Amino acid sequence: MSTDHAAPAHSALRHHFDTLDQQRDASLLGMWAFLVTEVLFFGGLFLAYTIYRMSYPAAFAAGSHHLNIVLGCINTAVLIGSSLTMALAVFAAQQGNGRNVARFLLATMFLGTMFLGIKAIEWTHDYEESLIPGLAFDAKIWAHEGMPPLEAKQFAGEGELFFVLYFSMTGLHGAHMIIGMAVMAFYLRPAWHGRYSRDYYTPIEGLGLYWHFVDVVWIFLFPLFYLVGTRGSH
Amino acid sequence: MQRAENAMHEYTAAPRIYFIIFAALMILTATTVGVSFIELGQLNLTVALAIAGTKALLVLLFFMHLIHSNRLTWIAIAGAVYFFAIMIVLTISDYATR
């Protein structure tokens, strides 16, 4: 390789890095390190879920059957679709096509908003069906035919625990999506004006890592909440 | 196009692979929903988690470019998996043996 020291440094290169390559590696490792802490952040909730599902399998299956599997499926498709548009935004950035970066970021934000909208519909139904722990929770709907009152009360409590975890985990996931979309909004203008090119597009790539991570969390949340217990037999 | 001397040298995936991965993720989603309607006992959870794990792996490897990432990135992810596994396994070993 030639070493033309007279070439001016790229405007995005910070003085404490030698090359854009080095700067990119440092930035992306930083994002990965953040995502590692996120794994453990969500991990605590996944652990709580595991313990309580082991303890109360019947109530978790009953709770899961209160969720709308069709809306859950649609939302999974929508979120995977938003991961596709995010990947295409990063690709457009690699090609130096700023307009397409902005367009694909907008598409990602649109799909993300759609996901949250569907989630809002689901949560509204949950409210109407009295499935909100501590706020609007109806213990009576949990009692099976001929269940002794004390046992029914215990079972409703276990079901309430399912919904505590459901709202905590989908809520935390939703908060991550809102943050992701808010950050995306800041990158629309620079992207549109050609800030990112083949030489420098690290912010878009880091944003992509974050968004795909949020997608991965949902990939696990979906079967753990919507697909507990066999549906065919009920 | 003139490239700066200190340009980034990284892998650029063709967009075609993203559409293939997207299709695979959709098929796996349909599969996991379909399987949830079949009575398999304990196997239902195993299958659901195996499919979710496969989907997560596809996203990591291709959407997150892990397949072309450097070793340091792999070590960071191994750290996440390792500590998460410790948390889950040690806690379950307590709860399951009470």
Side-chain angles (χ1 to χ4, degrees), chain A residues 138-220:
Chain A
D138 186 1
K140 287 192 286 293
I141 60 172
W142 291 78
H144 292 314
E145 201 72 38
M147 216 183 218
L150 214 61
E151 202 179 303
K153 192 166 177 258
Q154 163 73 20
F155 191 66
E158 294 168 8
E160 195 165 11
L161 203 46
F162 172 86
F163 276 96
V164 166
L165 289 165
Y166 168 73
F167 285 112
S168 305
M169 294 174 85
T170 57
L172 185 63
H173 176 262
H176 276 80
M177 293 188 62
I178 292 170
I179 293 166
M181 292 190 288
V183 174
M184 260 175 233
F186 281 98
Y187 289 95
L188 289 175
R189 238 177 87 90
W192 185 263
H193 293 293
R195 180 76 183 93
Y196 308 111
S197 66
R198 190 184 290 276
D199 293 333
Y200 172 71
Y201 59 90
T202 311
I204 307 299
E205 203 177 11
L207 205 50
L209 289 180
Y210 175 84
W211 193 257
H212 296 312
F213 169 80
V214 173
D215 189 23
V216 167
V217 171
W218 180 259
I219 281 172
F220 284 101

Side-chain angles (χ1 to χ4, degrees), chain B residues 12 15 22 25 34-37 51 57 76 80 82 92 95:
Chain B
T12 305
F22 172 76
L25 291 171
V35 170
S36 79
F37 284 90
I51 291 176
L57 202 61
Y82 181 65
I92 289 180
Y95 271 85

Side-chain angles (χ1 to χ4, degrees), chain A residues 80-179:
Chain A
I80 291 173
S82 80
S83 253
L84 174 66
T85 54
M86 188 71 230
L88 292 174
V90 175
F91 176 74
Q94 288 172 333
Q95 303 301 112
N97 189 339
R99 297 278 161 106
N100 275 355
V101 177
R103 285 186 190 112
F104 281 123
L105 285 182
L106 268 177
T108 308
M109 292 166 73
F110 173 76
L111 290 170
T113 309
M114 193 181 204
F115 178 97
L116 291 174
I118 293 171
K119 213 90 211 84
I121 292 170
E122 286 188 73
W123 285 342
T124 308
H125 287 166
D126 294 338
Y127 182 80
E128 287 163 357
E129 289 173 29
S130 301
L131 295 168
I132 317 281
L135 180 67
F137 197 82
D138 186 1
K140 287 192 286 293
I141 60 172
W142 291 78
H144 292 314
E145 201 72 38
M147 216 183 218
L150 214 61
E151 202 179 303
K153 192 166 177 258
Q154 163 73 20
F155 191 66
E158 294 168 8
E160 195 165 11
L161 203 46
F162 172 86
F163 276 96
V164 166
L165 289 165
Y166 168 73
F167 285 112
S168 305
M169 294 174 85
T170 57
L172 185 63
H173 176 262
H176 276 80
M177 293 188 62
I178 292 170
I179 293 166

Side-chain angles (χ1 to χ4, degrees), chain A residues 1-2 4 7 9-10 13 19-21 24-25 29 32 35-36 39-40 43-44 46-47 50-51 53-54 69 73 76-77 80-81 83-84 87-88 90-91 94-95 198-202 205 209 212-213 215-216 219-220 222-224 227 229-233, chain B residues 1-15 18-19 22 25-26 29 32-33 35-41 44-45 48-49 51-53 55-56 59-60 63-66 69-70 72-73 76-77 79-81 83-84 87-88 91-92 95-96:
Chain A
M1 282 204 94
S2 69
D4 183 10
H10 193 283
L13 181 65
T19 63
L20 279 177
D21 253 349
R24 171 181 180 269
D25 284 350
L29 183 65
W32 278 108
L35 295 183
V36 170
V39 167
L40 297 177
F46 276 102
L47 174 64
T50 307
I51 297 299
R53 179 165 171 176
M54 280 168 60
I69 195 170
C73 278
T76 304
I80 291 173
S83 253
L84 174 66
L88 292 174
V90 175
F91 176 74
Q94 288 172 333
Q95 303 301 112
R198 190 184 290 276
D199 293 333
Y200 172 71
Y201 59 90
T202 311
E205 203 177 11
L209 289 180
H212 296 312
F213 169 80
D215 189 23
V216 167
I219 281 172
F220 284 101
F222 173 64
L224 289 182
L227 308 179
T230 315
R231 284 181 176 258
S233 59
Chain B
M1 184 178 162
Q2 197 179 351
R3 294 188 56 152
E5 180 57 33
N6 51 9
M8 305 197 325
H9 303 285
E10 76 307 307
Y11 172 79
T12 305
Y18 296 138
F19 286 99
F22 172 76
L25 291 171
M26 287 302 192
T29 304
T32 194
V33 173
V35 170
S36 79
F37 284 90
I38 305 165
E39 181 65 68
L40 295 172
N44 275 113
L45 177 61
L49 285 180
I51 291 176
K55 285 166 73 180
V59 172
L60 276 161
F63 282 172
M64 297 170 92
H65 302 151
L66 192 57
S69 295
N70 57 32
L72 201 52
T73 311
I77 294 160
V81 173
F83 284 105
F84 182 62
M87 183 164 69
I88 294 282
T91 313
I92 289 180
Y95 271 85

